[in-house]
Amino acid sequence: MDDPVDARLAAEVSRDPRATLAQLSERVGLSASAVQARLRKLESTGVITGYQAILDPEAVGKPLAAFIEITPLDPRQPDDAPALLEPIAAIEACHSVAGDAAYMLFVRVGSPRELEALVSEIRHTASVNTRTTVVLQTFYEHRPMLPLPDAGE
Amino acid sequence: MDDPVDARLAAEVSRDPRATLAQLSERVGLSASAVQARLRKLESTGVITGYQAILDPEAVGKPLAAFIEITPLDPRQPDDAPALLEPIAAIEACHSVAGDAAYMLFVRVGSPRELEALVSEIRHTASVNTRTTVVLQTFYEHRPMLPLPDAGE
DNA sequence: ATTGAAAACGAAGCCCT
DNA sequence: AGGGCTTCGTTTTCAAT
Protein backbone atom coordinates (compact mmCIF):
# COMPACT_ATOMS: atom_id res chain seq x y z
CA MET A 1 0.00 0.00 0.00
CA ASP A 2 2.33 2.73 -1.18
CA ASP A 3 0.04 4.53 -3.58
CA PRO A 4 -0.80 7.96 -2.14
CA VAL A 5 -4.41 7.69 -3.28
CA ASP A 6 -4.75 4.37 -1.50
CA ALA A 7 -3.26 5.93 1.61
CA ARG A 8 -5.74 8.77 1.41
CA LEU A 9 -8.59 6.39 0.81
CA ALA A 10 -7.58 4.20 3.73
CA ALA A 11 -7.36 7.25 5.96
CA GLU A 12 -10.79 8.44 4.89
CA VAL A 13 -12.50 5.13 5.24
CA SER A 14 -10.89 4.42 8.59
CA ARG A 15 -12.42 7.62 9.89
CA ASP A 16 -15.80 7.16 8.28
CA PRO A 17 -16.43 3.60 7.16
CA ARG A 18 -20.06 4.28 6.47
CA ALA A 19 -19.38 6.96 3.92
CA THR A 20 -20.92 6.18 0.55
CA LEU A 21 -18.77 5.57 -2.48
CA ALA A 22 -19.93 8.91 -3.83
CA GLN A 23 -18.69 10.74 -0.74
CA LEU A 24 -15.38 8.95 -0.80
CA SER A 25 -14.97 9.66 -4.49
CA GLU A 26 -15.27 13.38 -3.81
CA ARG A 27 -12.71 13.25 -1.06
CA VAL A 28 -10.09 11.36 -2.99
CA GLY A 29 -10.86 12.83 -6.39
CA LEU A 30 -11.72 9.67 -8.27
CA SER A 31 -14.85 8.25 -9.78
CA ALA A 32 -17.05 6.16 -7.57
CA SER A 33 -16.23 3.06 -9.59
CA ALA A 34 -12.52 3.58 -9.17
CA VAL A 35 -12.98 4.10 -5.46
CA GLN A 36 -15.00 0.94 -5.24
CA ALA A 37 -12.35 -1.07 -7.02
CA ARG A 38 -9.63 0.28 -4.78
CA LEU A 39 -11.65 -0.37 -1.65
CA ARG A 40 -12.23 -3.97 -2.61
CA LYS A 41 -8.53 -4.32 -3.21
CA LEU A 42 -7.68 -2.80 0.16
CA GLU A 43 -10.03 -5.27 1.77
CA SER A 44 -8.85 -8.31 -0.14
CA THR A 45 -5.17 -7.54 0.36
CA GLY A 46 -5.78 -7.20 4.07
CA VAL A 47 -5.00 -3.51 4.46
CA ILE A 48 -8.52 -3.04 5.77
CA THR A 49 -9.03 -5.90 8.18
CA GLY A 50 -12.48 -5.07 9.46
CA TYR A 51 -14.99 -2.52 10.57
CA GLN A 52 -16.21 -1.61 14.00
CA ALA A 53 -18.73 0.59 15.70
CA ILE A 54 -17.29 2.26 18.75
CA LEU A 55 -19.52 2.02 21.79
CA ASP A 56 -19.48 4.13 24.92
CA PRO A 57 -18.11 1.78 27.58
CA GLU A 58 -20.20 3.37 30.32
CA ALA A 59 -23.37 3.14 28.29
CA VAL A 60 -22.92 -0.57 27.74
CA GLY A 61 -22.10 -1.40 31.32
CA LYS A 62 -18.30 -1.61 31.17
CA PRO A 63 -17.17 1.55 32.92
CA LEU A 64 -14.00 0.03 34.32
CA ALA A 65 -10.93 -0.63 32.16
CA ALA A 66 -7.51 -1.90 33.12
CA PHE A 67 -4.17 -3.00 31.80
CA ILE A 68 -3.06 -6.38 33.08
CA GLU A 69 0.53 -7.45 32.65
CA ILE A 70 1.00 -11.17 32.99
CA THR A 71 4.05 -13.32 33.63
CA PRO A 72 4.17 -17.12 33.51
CA LEU A 73 4.66 -18.69 36.91
CA ASP A 74 7.03 -21.29 35.55
CA PRO A 75 9.29 -20.13 32.71
CA ARG A 76 9.84 -23.73 31.73
CA GLN A 77 6.22 -24.50 30.98
CA PRO A 78 5.05 -24.22 27.39
CA ASP A 79 3.53 -20.79 27.18
CA ASP A 80 0.27 -20.47 25.33
CA ALA A 81 -1.35 -17.87 27.50
CA PRO A 82 -2.87 -15.92 24.58
CA ALA A 83 -4.68 -19.01 23.34
CA LEU A 84 -5.81 -20.00 26.81
CA LEU A 85 -7.16 -16.53 27.50
CA GLU A 86 -8.74 -15.96 24.12
CA PRO A 87 -12.22 -17.19 25.18
CA ILE A 88 -12.45 -14.60 27.92
CA ALA A 89 -14.63 -11.92 26.41
CA ALA A 90 -13.61 -9.18 28.81
CA ILE A 91 -10.14 -9.18 27.26
CA GLU A 92 -10.15 -6.66 24.48
CA ALA A 93 -6.51 -6.95 23.46
CA CYS A 94 -3.54 -9.22 24.07
CA HIS A 95 0.01 -8.33 23.12
CA SER A 96 3.31 -9.94 23.92
CA VAL A 97 5.71 -7.30 25.12
CA ALA A 98 9.35 -6.66 25.83
CA GLY A 99 9.97 -5.84 29.46
CA ASP A 100 9.20 -7.18 32.86
CA ALA A 101 6.04 -8.98 31.84
CA ALA A 102 5.45 -11.43 29.03
CA TYR A 103 2.06 -10.13 27.91
CA MET A 104 -0.03 -7.02 28.21
CA LEU A 105 -3.80 -7.31 28.24
CA PHE A 106 -6.40 -4.61 28.01
CA VAL A 107 -9.67 -5.49 29.67
CA ARG A 108 -13.07 -3.96 30.33
CA VAL A 109 -15.44 -4.89 33.12
CA GLY A 110 -18.49 -3.56 34.90
CA SER A 111 -17.21 -3.17 38.42
CA PRO A 112 -14.24 -3.62 40.74
CA ARG A 113 -15.83 -6.83 41.85
CA GLU A 114 -15.83 -8.12 38.28
CA LEU A 115 -12.23 -7.04 37.86
CA GLU A 116 -11.23 -9.08 40.86
CA ALA A 117 -12.98 -12.13 39.44
CA LEU A 118 -11.39 -11.56 36.04
CA VAL A 119 -7.87 -11.28 37.43
CA SER A 120 -8.42 -14.43 39.36
CA GLU A 121 -9.73 -16.22 36.28
CA ILE A 122 -6.75 -15.09 34.24
CA ARG A 123 -4.31 -16.24 36.89
CA HIS A 124 -5.60 -19.70 37.18
CA THR A 125 -6.51 -20.18 33.53
CA ALA A 126 -3.05 -19.32 32.24
CA SER A 127 -0.92 -20.08 35.31
CA VAL A 128 0.47 -16.58 35.49
CA ASN A 129 1.16 -13.78 37.85
CA THR A 130 -0.58 -10.52 37.14
CA ARG A 131 0.06 -6.85 37.64
CA THR A 132 -3.02 -4.74 37.15
CA THR A 133 -3.06 -1.06 36.31
CA VAL A 134 -6.53 0.42 36.62
CA VAL A 135 -7.63 3.10 34.16
CA LEU A 136 -8.99 6.12 36.01
CA GLN A 137 -9.98 8.17 33.01
CA THR A 138 -9.71 7.83 29.26
CA PHE A 139 -8.84 11.06 27.51
CA TYR A 140 -8.93 9.57 24.06
CA GLU A 141 -8.65 6.22 22.36
CA HIS A 142 -9.38 4.69 18.97
CA ARG A 143 -7.61 7.54 17.26
CA PRO A 144 -7.08 6.94 13.55
CA MET A 145 -3.87 5.24 12.54
CA LEU A 146 -3.35 7.38 9.47
CA PRO A 147 -3.13 11.16 9.32
CA LEU A 148 -5.32 12.87 6.78
CA PRO A 149 -3.09 14.27 4.06
CA ASP A 150 -3.58 17.94 4.85
CA ALA A 151 -6.72 19.27 3.28
CA GLY A 152 -5.51 21.74 0.72
CA GLU A 153 -8.70 23.38 -0.66
CA MET B 1 -29.41 1.24 27.43
CA ASP B 2 -31.16 -1.53 29.31
CA ASP B 3 -33.49 -2.77 26.60
CA PRO B 4 -32.34 -6.23 25.51
CA VAL B 5 -33.08 -5.50 21.87
CA ASP B 6 -30.91 -2.38 22.02
CA ALA B 7 -28.16 -4.42 23.62
CA ARG B 8 -28.41 -6.99 20.89
CA LEU B 9 -28.45 -4.33 18.22
CA ALA B 10 -25.42 -2.60 19.69
CA ALA B 11 -23.57 -5.89 19.80
CA GLU B 12 -24.45 -6.67 16.20
CA VAL B 13 -23.59 -3.28 14.83
CA SER B 14 -20.35 -3.09 16.75
CA ARG B 15 -19.25 -6.27 15.04
CA ASP B 16 -20.53 -5.36 11.62
CA PRO B 17 -21.23 -1.67 11.23
CA ARG B 18 -21.68 -1.97 7.51
CA ALA B 19 -24.52 -4.43 7.74
CA THR B 20 -27.64 -3.18 6.03
CA LEU B 21 -30.78 -2.35 7.94
CA ALA B 22 -32.37 -5.40 6.38
CA GLN B 23 -29.62 -7.68 7.69
CA LEU B 24 -29.78 -6.14 11.13
CA SER B 25 -33.54 -6.40 11.14
CA GLU B 26 -33.29 -10.15 10.62
CA ARG B 27 -30.78 -10.54 13.41
CA VAL B 28 -32.74 -8.61 15.98
CA GLY B 29 -36.21 -9.59 14.81
CA LEU B 30 -37.60 -6.16 13.99
CA SER B 31 -38.49 -4.35 10.82
CA ALA B 32 -35.84 -2.36 9.04
CA SER B 33 -37.52 0.90 9.96
CA ALA B 34 -37.63 0.03 13.62
CA VAL B 35 -33.97 -0.92 13.49
CA GLN B 36 -33.17 2.35 11.83
CA ALA B 37 -35.02 4.31 14.48
CA ARG B 38 -33.24 2.47 17.27
CA LEU B 39 -29.88 2.91 15.61
CA ARG B 40 -30.43 6.65 15.31
CA LYS B 41 -31.35 6.75 18.93
CA LEU B 42 -28.28 4.78 19.99
CA GLU B 43 -26.19 7.24 18.02
CA SER B 44 -27.87 10.35 19.33
CA THR B 45 -27.79 9.21 22.94
CA GLY B 46 -24.08 8.48 22.62
CA VAL B 47 -24.17 4.73 23.07
CA ILE B 48 -22.63 4.42 19.61
CA THR B 49 -19.92 7.05 19.51
CA GLY B 50 -18.51 6.40 16.09
CA TYR B 51 -17.46 3.98 13.42
CA GLN B 52 -14.04 2.86 12.35
CA ALA B 53 -12.34 0.74 9.75
CA ILE B 54 -9.59 -1.33 11.24
CA LEU B 55 -6.37 -1.18 9.27
CA ASP B 56 -3.48 -3.58 9.29
CA PRO B 57 -0.70 -1.66 11.06
CA GLU B 58 2.02 -3.28 9.01
CA ALA B 59 0.28 -2.56 5.75
CA VAL B 60 0.01 1.13 6.55
CA GLY B 61 3.58 1.52 7.67
CA LYS B 62 3.17 1.38 11.44
CA PRO B 63 4.54 -2.05 12.34
CA LEU B 64 5.83 -0.98 15.74
CA ALA B 65 3.50 -0.40 18.70
CA ALA B 66 4.34 0.46 22.29
CA PHE B 67 2.87 1.36 25.63
CA ILE B 68 4.37 4.47 27.16
CA GLU B 69 3.79 5.24 30.80
CA ILE B 70 4.44 8.85 31.65
CA THR B 71 5.05 10.62 34.94
CA PRO B 72 5.28 14.38 35.42
CA LEU B 73 8.77 15.58 36.28
CA ASP B 74 7.47 18.06 38.78
CA PRO B 75 4.39 16.98 40.72
CA ARG B 76 3.73 20.61 41.58
CA GLN B 77 3.30 21.78 37.99
CA PRO B 78 -0.21 21.95 36.57
CA ASP B 79 -0.62 18.72 34.74
CA ASP B 80 -2.26 18.88 31.36
CA ALA B 81 -0.22 16.24 29.63
CA PRO B 82 -3.18 14.73 27.75
CA ALA B 83 -4.01 18.08 26.18
CA LEU B 84 -0.39 18.83 25.38
CA LEU B 85 0.08 15.47 23.73
CA GLU B 86 -3.21 15.38 21.89
CA PRO B 87 -1.81 16.81 18.64
CA ILE B 88 0.72 14.00 18.32
CA ALA B 89 -0.88 11.69 15.80
CA ALA B 90 1.19 8.65 16.70
CA ILE B 91 -0.61 8.49 20.03
CA GLU B 92 -3.62 6.26 19.59
CA ALA B 93 -4.88 6.32 23.16
CA CYS B 94 -4.27 8.22 26.37
CA HIS B 95 -5.55 7.10 29.76
CA SER B 96 -4.85 8.32 33.24
CA VAL B 97 -4.07 5.36 35.46
CA ALA B 98 -3.71 4.32 39.05
CA GLY B 99 -0.24 3.09 39.82
CA ASP B 100 3.35 4.15 39.39
CA ALA B 101 2.72 6.32 36.37
CA ALA B 102 0.20 9.07 35.86
CA TYR B 103 -0.78 8.22 32.28
CA MET B 104 -0.62 5.32 29.93
CA LEU B 105 -0.30 5.95 26.20
CA PHE B 106 -0.57 3.53 23.34
CA VAL B 107 1.40 4.54 20.28
CA ARG B 108 2.18 3.28 16.80
CA VAL B 109 5.19 4.15 14.73
CA GLY B 110 7.06 2.95 11.68
CA SER B 111 10.42 2.10 13.15
CA PRO B 112 12.55 2.03 16.30
CA ARG B 113 14.08 5.25 15.10
CA GLU B 114 10.65 6.87 15.00
CA LEU B 115 9.86 5.51 18.43
CA GLU B 116 12.96 7.14 19.81
CA ALA B 117 11.95 10.47 18.30
CA LEU B 118 8.41 10.09 19.59
CA VAL B 119 9.49 9.35 23.14
CA SER B 120 11.75 12.34 23.05
CA GLU B 121 8.95 14.53 21.72
CA ILE B 122 6.60 13.33 24.44
CA ARG B 123 9.16 13.98 27.13
CA HIS B 124 9.86 17.53 26.23
CA THR B 125 6.33 18.42 25.13
CA ALA B 126 4.74 17.37 28.41
CA SER B 127 7.70 17.62 30.79
CA VAL B 128 7.45 14.01 31.83
CA ASN B 129 9.50 10.93 32.39
CA THR B 130 8.61 7.94 30.28
CA ARG B 131 8.73 4.19 30.59
CA THR B 132 8.27 2.43 27.29
CA THR B 133 7.08 -1.13 26.83
CA VAL B 134 7.51 -2.31 23.27
CA VAL B 135 4.91 -4.61 21.73
CA LEU B 136 6.54 -7.65 20.20
CA GLN B 137 3.46 -9.30 18.82
CA THR B 138 -0.24 -8.60 18.88
CA PHE B 139 -2.35 -11.71 19.32
CA TYR B 140 -5.63 -9.88 19.17
CA GLU B 141 -7.03 -6.41 19.65
CA HIS B 142 -10.20 -4.50 18.87
CA ARG B 143 -12.32 -7.32 20.21
CA PRO B 144 -15.98 -6.42 20.59
CA MET B 145 -17.08 -4.93 23.88
CA LEU B 146 -20.38 -6.76 23.97
CA PRO B 147 -20.95 -10.50 23.82
CA LEU B 148 -23.50 -11.71 21.32
CA PRO B 149 -26.52 -12.93 23.26
CA ASP B 150 -26.26 -16.63 22.53
CA ALA B 151 -28.16 -17.60 19.45
CA GLY B 152 -31.04 -19.53 20.85
CA GLU B 153 -33.71 -20.85 18.42
C1' DA C 1 -21.79 6.00 -18.28
C1' DT C 2 -26.26 3.52 -17.87
C1' DT C 3 -29.46 0.83 -15.88
C1' DG C 4 -31.69 -2.64 -12.88
C1' DA C 5 -31.60 -3.99 -8.13
C1' DA C 6 -31.26 -2.92 -3.40
C1' DA C 7 -30.96 -0.05 0.50
C1' DA C 8 -32.24 3.98 3.12
C1' DC C 9 -35.55 7.36 4.32
C1' DG C 10 -40.02 9.41 5.50
C1' DA C 11 -45.04 9.20 6.04
C1' DA C 12 -49.26 7.06 7.52
C1' DG C 13 -51.74 3.81 10.13
C1' DC C 14 -52.01 0.10 13.93
C1' DC C 15 -51.37 -1.91 18.44
C1' DC C 16 -50.26 -1.96 23.05
C1' DT C 17 -49.68 0.36 27.36
C1' DA D 1 -52.99 9.96 24.26
C1' DG D 2 -48.24 8.37 23.53
C1' DG D 3 -44.55 5.44 22.03
C1' DG D 4 -43.06 2.14 19.19
C1' DC D 5 -43.84 -1.23 15.36
C1' DT D 6 -45.10 -2.23 10.63
C1' DT D 7 -46.02 -1.36 5.82
C1' DC D 8 -45.60 1.21 1.77
C1' DG D 9 -43.89 4.70 -1.64
C1' DT D 10 -40.04 7.64 -2.85
C1' DT D 11 -35.31 8.79 -3.27
C1' DT D 12 -30.61 7.57 -3.07
C1' DT D 13 -26.99 4.31 -3.50
C1' DC D 14 -25.05 0.21 -5.22
C1' DA D 15 -22.97 -2.96 -8.67
C1' DA D 16 -22.52 -4.93 -13.14
C1' DT D 17 -22.72 -4.34 -17.82
Side-chain angles (χ1 to χ4, degrees):
Chain A
M1 214 272 295
D2 25 23
D3 183 303
V5 177
D6 279 344
R8 175 66 191 265
L9 182 57
E12 290 290 352
V13 83
S14 81
R15 263 158 246 272
D16 182 10
R18 308 214 316 166
T20 66
L21 295 178
Q23 293 171 312
L24 292 174
S25 76
E26 278 184 27
R27 295 178 204 165
V28 304
L30 255 60
S31 78
S33 302
V35 167
Q36 184 175 24
R38 280 172 184 262
L39 258 188
R40 286 172 129 44
K41 195 165 190 178
L42 289 176
E43 286 168 3
S44 68
T45 59
V47 175
I48 296 174
T49 62
Y51 299 89
Q52 203 173 39
I54 300 181
L55 305 181
D56 176 9
E58 315 217 352
V60 301
K62 310 258 178 205
L64 181 56
F67 295 92
I68 304 182
E69 294 164 83
I70 71 180
T71 313
L73 286 179
D74 178 355
R76 268 178 292 273
Q77 294 288 334
D79 173 12
D80 49 353
L84 292 171
L85 299 175
E86 195 268 327
I88 303 178
I91 303 177
E92 188 170 300
C94 171
H95 311 267
S96 83
V97 294
D100 297 334
Y103 302 99
M104 174 82 81
L105 310 179
F106 185 73
V107 306
R108 290 188 198 273
V109 293
S111 66
R113 180 72 188 69
E114 274 183 45
L115 182 57
E116 180 189 27
L118 174 62
V119 168
S120 169
E121 182 180 9
I122 288 171
R123 270 210 274 256
H124 105 271
T125 299
S127 301
V128 291
N129 274 326
T130 61
R131 177 173 178 269
T132 300
T133 300
V134 169
V135 171
L136 299 173
Q137 184 181 175
T138 296
F139 292 93
Y140 34 86
E141 63 184 334
H142 307 301
R143 302 217 305 178
M145 212 175 292
L146 290 180
L148 268 201
D150 30 355
E153 175 76 1
Chain B
M1 217 272 294
D2 25 24
D3 184 303
V5 178
D6 279 344
R8 176 66 191 266
L9 183 56
E12 290 290 352
V13 82
S14 81
R15 277 170 178 64
D16 183 9
R18 307 213 319 164
T20 66
L21 295 177
Q23 292 171 312
L24 292 173
S25 77
E26 278 185 28
R27 295 178 204 165
V28 304
L30 257 59
S31 76
S33 294
V35 167
Q36 185 176 34
R38 279 172 182 263
L39 262 186
R40 284 166 140 41
K41 198 166 188 176
L42 289 176
E43 287 167 3
S44 69
T45 58
V47 175
I48 297 174
T49 62
Y51 297 90
Q52 203 174 42
I54 301 181
L55 306 180
D56 176 9
E58 315 217 352
V60 300
K62 311 260 179 200
L64 181 55
F67 295 92
I68 304 183
E69 293 164 86
I70 71 180
T71 313
L73 287 179
D74 178 355
R76 268 178 293 275
Q77 293 289 333
D79 174 11
D80 48 353
L84 292 171
L85 298 176
E86 194 268 327
I88 303 178
I91 302 176
E92 188 170 299
C94 171
H95 311 267
S96 84
V97 294
D100 298 334
Y103 303 99
M104 174 83 81
L105 311 179
F106 184 74
V107 306
R108 290 188 198 273
V109 293
S111 66
R113 180 71 188 72
E114 274 183 44
L115 182 56
E116 180 189 27
L118 173 62
V119 168
S120 169
E121 182 180 8
I122 288 172
R123 271 212 272 257
H124 105 271
T125 299
S127 303
V128 291
N129 273 327
T130 61
R131 178 173 177 268
T132 301
T133 301
V134 169
V135 171
L136 299 173
Q137 184 180 174
T138 295
F139 292 92
Y140 34 86
E141 63 184 333
H142 307 300
R143 301 216 305 178
M145 211 175 293
L146 290 180
L148 267 204
D150 31 356
E153 173 88 1

